[in-house]
């Protein structure tokens, strides 16, 4: 468990942030550039000193006020993967990997060098120098190097930002597979919602040095604080469901009280938990059951909230079991349907609309054990 | 000292070197090497302090280190003589306590050379220190490396091009140091008569023209060789670092 409550002034900018990170799992630290994300994790790592406040990790106080104890970064055992890798240019990949491991010494339960090389596919790179690696390869080495130092917490500062878009997707599966193998908390900093949706269990929203909200991803996906940080077309509820069976087009996913047709890129076993984002602009609201439509996904529920959002209205619908979807409709449509909270409605969207927004959830880190 | 010219056919225009010239060459190499070895750790410490430590008087220390670049070398030699000569403030004490004499010795010539080439070395090292990405040191910190560990495993290896370049440039420049050496260590054959001093002596000798020319050409070749070697070494090291 990581507990942070810090203040730091840097010129005109002031960071005043408090957050809690559970003992295991990935917390996504989400915010625009300049919102203080990197400052916050630098404070956690101890690379900069806070003006006031405290950092506690697993019961140990790492930093307390200005006069209190301050554990230097080299004794914090906090792994850090920097945006720009920061591999040591004079050392081969193998020696980069060993750098932290040597200093940490052996430890029970830690991932060893050989296993790490296998997990991250580093074998062909071991003899190379950092300047001979691609951006994605560099980040894989940096990730391995940080983890081999047996950290108690892992900080990832936009690890995909320096990689060109075409190769960005290559690193994500490695991060996903590691997530299920790690038993330490991970803070993943990003300003790309998609990365955070894929990897994080919880979200912390940071804006202008303040924490706006913290909570489970699906819960925060409904919140105005997050919507304010996204372009209108990216607003959409995050749903989590369990794969029931395979169909010709993909899988059938149990969400809330209904089922969804989801086309998935990878084959998954029934029982696997899946997370997907259904964009609000793709969801149609009907006040009565409709027949004879090509639309494959129909979820029945009740309106829980209506919120004016720009030139339209965001309708939040409870589709059972606490699962909610968002639909963005025009003000006129809202008036014509006479929508109000508590009203029974049907949320309709095409199966294909979920393509590219569905993510596998690691079994060990999902909020509940997978249902069978 | 008898002047006989080994295998030479013509006594005036021989391309081979006389024993006295060889001696001057060897002495120059020895003096330059000793001066580099002596000033290397000090220059490194100085570059570190100037590049990384903020303290009042830093500008003054910076100016002090660079002073030999702008002072007449004779003045530097004179100050050394005042301080470290047998009658000097520290020289007398050194002689009484350790039996150490610097003025008019090879060690003295090396010391004078070291003082003169010190700024060259500090400059090159400081420049390379400024090029070391502090972010790499931060990365090393998060991987558990303390201050000394970080310096030895990250900063020092990354400064290597600058250290080598500084040392080689200082060595090449040290081969030809004249003013400070002749003032502090005098022109003693076999002890402090290095290449430039031998060249100067040859120029003062009635038929020393051919010898002077050979010594001048030799200095030229050594200087050029030193600078080219410095460049080659730096390039090679940079390549292994991927820069």
């Amino acid at each position: 468990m990581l507990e942070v409550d810090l203040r730091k002034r840097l010129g005109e900018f002031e960071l005043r942030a408090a957050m809690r990170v559970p003992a295991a799992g990935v917390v996504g630290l989400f915010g625009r550039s300049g919102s203080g994300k990197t400052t916050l994790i630098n404070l956690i790592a101890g690379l900069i000193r806070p003006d006031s406040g405290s950092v506690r990790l697993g019961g140990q106080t790492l930093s307390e006020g200005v006069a209190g104890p301050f554990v230097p970064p080299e004794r914090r055992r906090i792994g850090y993967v920097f945006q720009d890798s920061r591999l040591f240019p004079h050392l081969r990949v193998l020696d980069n990997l060993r750098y932290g491991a040597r200093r940490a010494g052996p430890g029970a339960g830690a991932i060893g060098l050989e296993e790490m090389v296998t997990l991250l596919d580093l074998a062909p790179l071991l003899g190379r120098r950092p300047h001979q690696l691609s951006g994605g390869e560099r980040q894989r080495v940096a990730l391995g190097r940080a983890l081999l130092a047996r950290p108690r917490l892992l900080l990832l500062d936009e690890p995909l930002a320096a990689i060109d878009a075409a190769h960005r997707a290559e690193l994500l599966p490695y991060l996903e597979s590691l997530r299920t193998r790690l038993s330490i908390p991970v803070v993943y900093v990003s300003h790309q919602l998609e990365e955070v949706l894929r990897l994080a269990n919880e979200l912390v929203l940071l804006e202008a040095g303040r924490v706006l909200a913290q909570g489970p991803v699906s819960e925060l996906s409904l919140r105005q604080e997050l919507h304010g940080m996204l372009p209108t077309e990216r607003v959409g509820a995050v749903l989590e469901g369990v794969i029931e069976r395979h169909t010709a087009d993909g899988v059938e996913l149990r969400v809330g009280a209904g089922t969804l047709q989801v086309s998935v890129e990878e084959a998954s076993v029934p029982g696997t938990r899946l997370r997907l984002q259904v964009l609000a602009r793709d969801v149609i609201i009907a006040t009565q059951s409709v027949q004879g439509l090509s639309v494959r996904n129909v979820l029945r529920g009740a309106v829980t909230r209506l919120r004016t959002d720009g030139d339209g209205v965001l309708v939040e619908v409870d589709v059972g079991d606490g699962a909610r979807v968002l639909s963005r409709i025009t003000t006129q449509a809202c008036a014509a349907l006479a929508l109000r909270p508590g009203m029974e409605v049907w949320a309709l969207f095409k199966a294909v609309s979920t393509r590219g927004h569905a993510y596998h959830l690691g079994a060990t880190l999902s909020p509940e054990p997978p249902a069978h | 000292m008898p002047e006989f010219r080994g295998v030479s056919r013509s006594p005036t225009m021989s391309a081979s070197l006389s024993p006295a010239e060889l001696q001057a060459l060897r002495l120059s190499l020895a003096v330059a090497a000793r001066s580099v070895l002596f000033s290397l750790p000090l220059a490194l410490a100085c570059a570190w302090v100037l590049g990384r430590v903020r303290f009042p008087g830093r500008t003054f220390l910076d100016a002090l280190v660079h002073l030999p670049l702008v002072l007449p070398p004779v003045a530097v030699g004179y100050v050394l003589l005042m301080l470290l000569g047998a009658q000097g403030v520290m020289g007398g004490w050194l002689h009484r306590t350790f039996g150490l004499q610097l003025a008019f010795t090879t060690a003295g010539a090396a010391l004078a050379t070291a003082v003169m080439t010190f700024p060259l070395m500090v400059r090159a090292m400081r420049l390379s220190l400024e090029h070391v990405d502090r972010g790499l040191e931060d990365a090393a910190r998060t991987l558990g490396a303390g201050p000394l560990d970080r310096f030895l495993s990250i900063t020092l290896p990354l400064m290597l091009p600058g250290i080598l370049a500084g040392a080689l440039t200082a060595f090449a420049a040290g081969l030809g140091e004249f003013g400070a050496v002749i003032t502090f260590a005098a022109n003693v054959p076999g002890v402090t008569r290095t290449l430039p001093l031998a060249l100067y002596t040859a120029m003062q000798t009635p038929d020393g023209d051919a010898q002077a020319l050979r010594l001048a050409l030799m200095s030229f070749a050594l200087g050029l060789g030193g600078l080219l070697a410095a460049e080659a070494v730096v390039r090679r090291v940079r390549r292994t670092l991927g820069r």
Side-chain angles (χ1 to χ4, degrees):
Chain A
M1 162 90 83
L2 169 74
E3 288 165 285
V4 177
D5 186 356
L6 288 168
R7 264 194 210 197
K8 176 75 182 176
R9 179 170 275 286
L10 294 165
E12 289 289 286
F13 178 79
E14 195 196 20
L15 180 86
R16 198 189 290 192
M19 67 174 205
R20 290 157 69 90
V21 176
V26 180
V27 168
L29 188 54
F30 185 71
R32 294 194 186 95
S33 309
S35 57
K37 305 186 295 288
T38 302
T39 306
L40 181 54
I41 60 169
N42 279 343
L43 284 163
I44 296 172
L47 293 175
I48 49 178
R49 272 174 181 264
D51 294 338
S52 64
S54 61
V55 179
R56 275 180 253 279
L57 177 61
Q60 190 200 354
T61 301
L62 297 179
S63 152
E64 178 78 70
V66 202
F70 181 84
V71 179
E74 57 264 35
R75 284 195 268 118
R76 289 196 177 192
R77 295 203 20 230
I78 294 180
Y80 198 142
V81 175
F82 298 88
Q83 208 177 109
D84 51 352
S85 318
R86 302 199 186 170
L87 298 181
F88 304 131
H90 59 299
L91 300 179
R92 291 173 309 146
V93 166
L94 181 62
D95 295 314
N96 264 286
L97 290 172
R98 281 182 179 153
Y99 192 92
R102 274 209 189 113
R103 283 155 179 88
I111 305 178
L113 183 64
E114 270 174 50
E115 192 190 349
M116 191 63 75
V117 167
T118 315
L119 270 172
L120 295 171
D121 276 337
L122 298 174
L125 312 179
L126 292 177
R128 292 203 215 155
R129 299 250 176 200
H131 68 96
Q132 297 168 310
L133 305 178
S134 73
E137 288 169 339
R138 244 174 253 166
Q139 286 304 54
R140 256 150 63 201
V141 177
L143 187 62
R145 182 180 71 173
L147 288 173
L148 284 169
R150 295 199 296 113
R152 296 184 293 167
L153 165 73
L154 180 65
L155 305 171
L156 298 155
D157 186 14
E158 308 215 22
L160 308 184
I163 308 174
D164 55 290
H167 295 95
R168 215 166 278 170
E170 288 172 15
L171 194 68
L172 278 168
Y174 291 106
L175 290 169
E176 284 178 324
S177 62
L178 265 174
R179 186 186 56 179
T180 56
R181 177 68 181 77
L182 292 179
S183 49
I184 54 168
V186 177
V187 177
Y188 188 97
V189 171
S190 183
H191 68 276
Q192 296 287 329
L193 186 65
E194 189 169 329
E195 290 168 23
V196 170
L197 287 186
R198 243 177 114 153
L199 296 166
N201 311 93
E202 267 196 44
L203 266 184
V204 173
L205 302 184
L206 199 65
E207 183 152 279
R210 303 282 189 283
V211 172
L212 289 186
Q214 171 169 12
V217 174
S218 51
E219 200 182 300
L220 281 201
S221 69
L222 307 171
R223 298 269 289 266
Q224 199 174 353
E225 290 92 334
L226 178 65
H227 300 163
M229 298 162 85
L230 298 173
T232 320
E233 70 271 14
R234 287 291 292 146
V235 170
V238 170
L239 297 171
E240 278 172 27
V242 180
I243 294 178
E244 288 211 313
R245 60 187 189 87
H246 287 259
T247 65
D249 303 324
V251 294
E252 219 169 79
L253 193 70
R254 171 148 292 276
V255 174
T259 52
L260 295 180
Q261 308 294 321
V262 183
S263 42
V264 285
E265 281 146 20
E266 315 155 47
S268 331
V269 205
T272 309
R273 290 185 69 86
L274 209 61
R275 176 188 290 168
L276 55 96
Q277 189 188 21
V278 180
L279 297 177
R281 60 158 193 206
D282 293 339
V283 181
I284 295 166
I285 295 288
T287 48
Q288 41 192 289
S289 179
V290 235
Q291 305 296 318
L293 284 180
S294 67
V295 167
R296 303 288 295 127
N297 290 315
V298 181
L299 291 174
R300 183 178 170 179
V303 175
T304 45
R305 217 149 54 106
L306 294 167
R307 180 159 58 79
T308 320
D309 176 61
D311 53 352
V313 177
L314 266 181
V315 184
E316 187 184 298
V317 181
D318 186 331
V319 293
D321 272 355
R324 291 175 189 206
V325 289
L326 285 175
S327 167
R328 200 184 147 78
I329 58 174
T330 61
T331 319
Q332 289 114 305
C334 186
L337 293 175
L339 292 179
R340 56 191 155 65
M343 204 169 145
E344 185 181 47
V345 289
W346 284 261
L348 297 81
F349 49 97
K350 294 170 86 171
V352 285
S353 66
T354 53
R355 184 185 286 276
H357 302 296
Y359 313 108
H360 288 262
L361 282 181
T364 51
L365 291 181
S366 41
E368 307 138 42
H372 290 282
Chain B
M1 177 173 289
E3 288 272 296
F4 77 91
R5 294 190 170 143
V7 285
S8 69
R9 264 165 266 145
S10 150
T12 47
M13 286 305 289
S14 167
S16 58
L17 302 169
S18 73
E21 287 160 9
L22 273 174
Q23 191 180 50
L25 172 64
R26 270 200 303 270
L27 200 55
S28 254
L29 292 170
V31 163
R34 285 169 79 168
S35 86
V36 166
L37 285 179
F38 173 72
S39 53
L40 198 70
L42 278 173
L44 193 58
C46 214
W48 178 270
V49 167
L50 288 174
R52 287 288 172 87
V53 190
R54 297 279 167 269
F55 62 98
R58 199 174 67 99
T59 324
F60 182 74
L61 179 66
D62 199 14
L64 198 67
V65 165
H66 285 89
L67 214 49
L69 278 184
V70 293
L71 278 182
V74 181
V76 174
Y78 183 69
V79 168
L80 285 175
L81 204 56
M82 292 288 98
L83 289 173
L84 297 166
Q87 267 81 52
V89 188
M90 288 159 71
W93 176 78
L94 278 177
H95 190 62
R96 280 193 304 277
T97 325
F98 301 105
L100 200 70
Q101 198 200 326
L102 285 170
F104 316 120
T105 64
T106 311
L111 178 70
T113 305
V115 172
M116 289 306 295
T117 55
F118 196 66
L120 293 175
M121 219 187 274
V122 173
R123 272 179 98 89
M125 288 179 184
R126 195 175 153 188
L127 213 63
S128 70
L129 177 64
E130 275 161 15
H131 275 96
V132 173
D133 180 1
R134 301 290 291 266
L136 294 174
E137 293 171 13
D138 277 349
R141 292 194 89 176
T142 64
L143 293 165
L148 184 65
D149 186 359
R150 248 166 12 236
F151 177 72
L152 294 176
S153 64
I154 307 296
T155 320
L156 196 62
L158 290 177
M159 281 177 74
L160 209 55
I163 294 173
L164 288 172
L168 278 166
T169 316
F171 180 78
L175 291 171
E177 180 46 41
F178 178 78
V181 171
I182 203 166
T183 316
F184 181 55
N187 189 358
V188 187
V191 181
T192 69
R193 185 175 289 171
T194 55
L195 271 184
L197 274 67
L199 172 58
Y200 173 75
T201 311
M203 283 167 66
Q204 308 294 311
T205 316
D207 54 353
D209 284 356
Q211 196 183 15
L213 182 65
R214 277 198 302 275
L215 288 166
L217 287 172
M218 200 156 42
S219 302
F220 188 81
L222 279 173
L224 191 65
L227 290 177
L228 290 176
E231 189 57 32
V233 167
V234 169
R235 267 196 210 163
R236 205 190 154 81
V237 175
R238 284 227 175 102
R239 224 182 2 256
T240 49
L241 294 181
R243 278 189 277 166

